[in-house]
mmCIF file of all heavy atoms in Angstrom:
data_model
loop_
_atom_site.group_PDB
_atom_site.id
_atom_site.type_symbol
_atom_site.label_atom_id
_atom_site.label_comp_id
_atom_site.label_asym_id
_atom_site.label_seq_id
_atom_site.Cartn_x
_atom_site.Cartn_y
_atom_site.Cartn_z
ATOM 1 N N LEU A 118 -4.576 -5.411 9.522
ATOM 2 C CA LEU A 118 -4.483 -4.400 8.458
ATOM 3 C C LEU A 118 -4.122 -2.992 9.016
ATOM 4 O O LEU A 118 -3.569 -2.170 8.282
ATOM 5 C CB LEU A 118 -5.715 -4.346 7.589
ATOM 6 C CG LEU A 118 -5.817 -5.433 6.571
ATOM 7 C CD1 LEU A 118 -7.075 -5.261 5.733
ATOM 8 C CD2 LEU A 118 -4.584 -5.496 5.641
ATOM 9 N N VAL A 119 -4.536 -2.699 10.226
ATOM 10 C CA VAL A 119 -4.173 -1.399 10.757
ATOM 11 C C VAL A 119 -2.669 -1.438 11.398
ATOM 12 O O VAL A 119 -2.229 -0.467 11.901
ATOM 13 C CB VAL A 119 -5.126 -0.856 11.853
ATOM 14 C CG1 VAL A 119 -6.472 -0.576 11.145
ATOM 15 C CG2 VAL A 119 -5.252 -1.847 13.005
ATOM 16 N N ARG B 153 -7.223 -1.200 -2.904
ATOM 17 C CA ARG B 153 -6.724 -1.286 -1.572
ATOM 18 C C ARG B 153 -7.181 -2.552 -0.826
ATOM 19 O O ARG B 153 -6.954 -2.694 0.401
ATOM 20 C CB ARG B 153 -7.132 -0.084 -0.717
ATOM 21 C CG ARG B 153 -6.464 1.175 -1.228
ATOM 22 C CD ARG B 153 -6.781 2.367 -0.322
ATOM 23 N NE ARG B 153 -5.806 3.435 -0.563
ATOM 24 C CZ ARG B 153 -4.605 3.526 0.012
ATOM 25 N NH1 ARG B 153 -4.256 2.589 0.894
ATOM 26 N NH2 ARG B 153 -3.777 4.484 -0.277
ATOM 27 N N LEU B 237 -16.066 4.615 4.773
ATOM 28 C CA LEU B 237 -14.723 5.155 4.816
ATOM 29 C C LEU B 237 -14.776 6.686 4.749
ATOM 30 O O LEU B 237 -14.006 7.370 5.456
ATOM 31 C CB LEU B 237 -13.833 4.661 3.636
ATOM 32 C CG LEU B 237 -13.365 3.196 3.694
ATOM 33 C CD1 LEU B 237 -12.443 2.992 2.498
ATOM 34 C CD2 LEU B 237 -12.663 2.911 4.970
ATOM 35 N N LEU B 242 -11.379 8.519 6.236
ATOM 36 C CA LEU B 242 -10.224 7.755 5.844
ATOM 37 C C LEU B 242 -10.023 7.694 4.337
ATOM 38 O O LEU B 242 -9.139 6.911 3.862
ATOM 39 C CB LEU B 242 -10.400 6.270 6.401
ATOM 40 C CG LEU B 242 -10.452 6.188 7.892
ATOM 41 C CD1 LEU B 242 -10.734 4.761 8.386
ATOM 42 C CD2 LEU B 242 -9.112 6.670 8.550
ATOM 43 N N LEU B 305 -14.845 -3.976 4.610
ATOM 44 C CA LEU B 305 -14.039 -3.030 5.492
ATOM 45 C C LEU B 305 -12.923 -3.770 6.191
ATOM 46 O O LEU B 305 -11.821 -3.286 6.431
ATOM 47 C CB LEU B 305 -14.930 -2.360 6.538
ATOM 48 C CG LEU B 305 -15.855 -1.284 6.004
ATOM 49 C CD1 LEU B 305 -16.685 -0.698 7.202
ATOM 50 C CD2 LEU B 305 -15.097 -0.153 5.379
ATOM 51 N N LEU B 308 -9.698 -4.034 3.911
ATOM 52 C CA LEU B 308 -9.172 -2.829 3.219
ATOM 53 C C LEU B 308 -7.948 -2.285 3.898
ATOM 54 O O LEU B 308 -7.994 -2.072 5.153
ATOM 55 C CB LEU B 308 -10.250 -1.728 3.148
ATOM 56 C CG LEU B 308 -11.413 -1.941 2.155
ATOM 57 C CD1 LEU B 308 -12.387 -0.793 2.234
ATOM 58 C CD2 LEU B 308 -10.882 -2.109 0.774
ATOM 59 N N ASP B 309 -6.906 -2.041 3.109
ATOM 60 C CA ASP B 309 -5.733 -1.398 3.630
ATOM 61 C C ASP B 309 -5.901 0.116 3.395
ATOM 62 O O ASP B 309 -5.544 0.582 2.389
ATOM 63 C CB ASP B 309 -4.507 -1.941 2.876
ATOM 64 C CG ASP B 309 -3.238 -1.206 3.150
ATOM 65 O OD1 ASP B 309 -3.129 -0.660 4.232
ATOM 66 O OD2 ASP B 309 -2.389 -1.181 2.247
ATOM 67 N N VAL B 310 -6.530 0.801 4.377
ATOM 68 C CA VAL B 310 -6.823 2.199 4.148
ATOM 69 C C VAL B 310 -5.610 3.077 4.288
ATOM 70 O O VAL B 310 -4.601 2.663 4.816
ATOM 71 C CB VAL B 310 -7.986 2.677 5.061
ATOM 72 C CG1 VAL B 310 -9.218 1.877 4.874
ATOM 73 C CG2 VAL B 310 -7.531 2.693 6.484
ATOM 74 N N ASP B 311 -5.698 4.269 3.760
ATOM 75 C CA ASP B 311 -4.576 5.224 3.737
ATOM 76 C C ASP B 311 -3.854 5.280 5.135
ATOM 77 O O ASP B 311 -4.556 5.653 6.112
ATOM 78 C CB ASP B 311 -5.089 6.582 3.319
ATOM 79 C CG ASP B 311 -3.957 7.579 3.013
ATOM 80 O OD1 ASP B 311 -3.359 8.113 3.998
ATOM 81 O OD2 ASP B 311 -3.708 7.792 1.872
ATOM 82 N N HIS B 312 -2.632 4.967 5.166
ATOM 83 C CA HIS B 312 -1.882 4.912 6.417
ATOM 84 C C HIS B 312 -1.768 6.274 7.115
ATOM 85 O O HIS B 312 -1.899 6.408 8.302
ATOM 86 C CB HIS B 312 -0.452 4.364 6.255
ATOM 87 C CG HIS B 312 -0.500 2.953 5.685
ATOM 88 N ND1 HIS B 312 0.695 2.289 5.442
ATOM 89 C CD2 HIS B 312 -1.475 2.082 5.378
ATOM 90 C CE1 HIS B 312 0.374 1.051 4.967
ATOM 91 N NE2 HIS B 312 -0.887 0.927 4.924
ATOM 92 N N GLY B 313 -1.594 7.325 6.232
ATOM 93 C CA GLY B 313 -1.475 8.668 6.809
ATOM 94 C C GLY B 313 -2.848 9.078 7.464
ATOM 95 O O GLY B 313 -2.812 9.649 8.554
ATOM 96 N N LEU B 315 -5.131 7.061 8.714
ATOM 97 C CA LEU B 315 -5.244 6.223 9.908
ATOM 98 C C LEU B 315 -4.502 6.856 11.041
ATOM 99 O O LEU B 315 -4.961 6.959 12.142
ATOM 100 C CB LEU B 315 -4.748 4.829 9.668
ATOM 101 C CG LEU B 315 -5.647 3.742 9.248
ATOM 102 C CD1 LEU B 315 -4.854 2.450 9.116
ATOM 103 C CD2 LEU B 315 -6.815 3.566 10.172
ATOM 104 N N VAL B 333 -10.883 -0.942 11.520
ATOM 105 C CA VAL B 333 -11.804 0.018 10.907
ATOM 106 C C VAL B 333 -13.244 -0.517 10.920
ATOM 107 O O VAL B 333 -14.176 0.236 11.216
ATOM 108 C CB VAL B 333 -11.365 0.242 9.445
ATOM 109 C CG1 VAL B 333 -12.307 1.122 8.645
ATOM 110 C CG2 VAL B 333 -9.967 0.901 9.379
#
Side-chain angles (χ1 to χ4, degrees):
Chain A
L118 281 182
V119 293
Chain B
R153 292 187 162 274
L237 287 187
L242 297 175
L305 286 180
L308 285 180
D309 171 26
V310 302
D311 189 282
H312 299 178
L315 266 183
V333 174

